[in-house]
Amino acid sequence: MARLVLVGLAVLALVALIVFGALSLLGGPDPGAGTAALPAASASESSAAASPPSSATPERVPTVLVECLREHCPTVFLKVTGGDVLLDRELARGERFQSFDAKVDVVLADSAAVRVQVNGAVRSPGEAGERQEFTVSRE
């Protein structure tokens, strides 16, 4: 009888761990909530976004937005200052990445290959092949 009780408790504990693990994976807070990778916008999407209806709430401006302008953009590295790495890879034409974190470190392998917006303002590009490192802060 005692063995059956122990086996039952072990099975119950195993099921509880599986349920807890599934809830943690599916329902937990999103660690990348401050970031979003965006696909390239089509012409119709960009024109619709340019003139939002007057009743719409103002769109949140990202701290930093990086968009690849060439067919292939060398490594783009974004990291929350003192925290997690947000992006560390090459980008394709039209691919975008944005972050809403308060302070972000940015490293561009080729600053002329990408367009960078800091708090909604376009940052001037460097020369072709020029590596740039800078930190942006939320206004």
Side-chain angles (χ1 to χ4, degrees), residues 9-51:
L9 287 175
V11 169
L12 184 60
L14 180 62
V15 170
L17 285 174
I18 291 172
V19 169
F20 180 74
L23 289 175
S24 294
L25 288 174
L26 299 175
D30 183 12
T35 63
L38 304 173
S42 66
S44 62
E45 290 173 339
S46 61
S47 64
S51 58

Side-chain angles (χ1 to χ4, degrees), residues 2-132:
R3 286 184 188 177
L4 288 176
V5 171
L6 288 176
V7 169
L9 287 175
V11 169
L12 184 60
L14 180 62
V15 170
L17 285 174
I18 291 172
V19 169
F20 180 74
L23 289 175
S24 294
L25 288 174
L26 299 175
D30 183 12
T35 63
L38 304 173
S42 66
S44 62
E45 290 173 339
S46 61
S47 64
S51 58
S54 59
S55 63
T57 59
E59 193 172 314
R60 209 169 124 192
V61 177
T63 307
V64 64
L65 182 138
V66 179
E67 179 180 9
C68 180
L69 301 176
R70 296 191 181 152
E71 197 64 36
H72 168 80
C73 295
T75 303
V76 175
F77 179 83
L78 278 79
K79 178 177 90 76
V80 175
T81 302
D84 295 332
V85 173
L86 304 173
L87 179 70
D88 185 12
R89 64 181 177 91
E90 298 174 348
L91 301 177
R93 179 187 302 270
E95 192 172 5
R96 295 177 171 188
F97 188 85
Q98 65 184 359
S99 172
F100 294 92
D101 293 293
K103 199 169 187 183
V104 180
D105 296 326
V106 180
V107 179
L108 308 171
D110 183 357
S111 60
V114 295
R115 181 177 66 205
V116 179
Q117 290 183 18
V118 176
N119 296 310
V122 177
R123 180 182 165 94
S124 59
E127 296 180 20
E130 178 184 354
R131 182 176 192 269
Q132 286 188 352

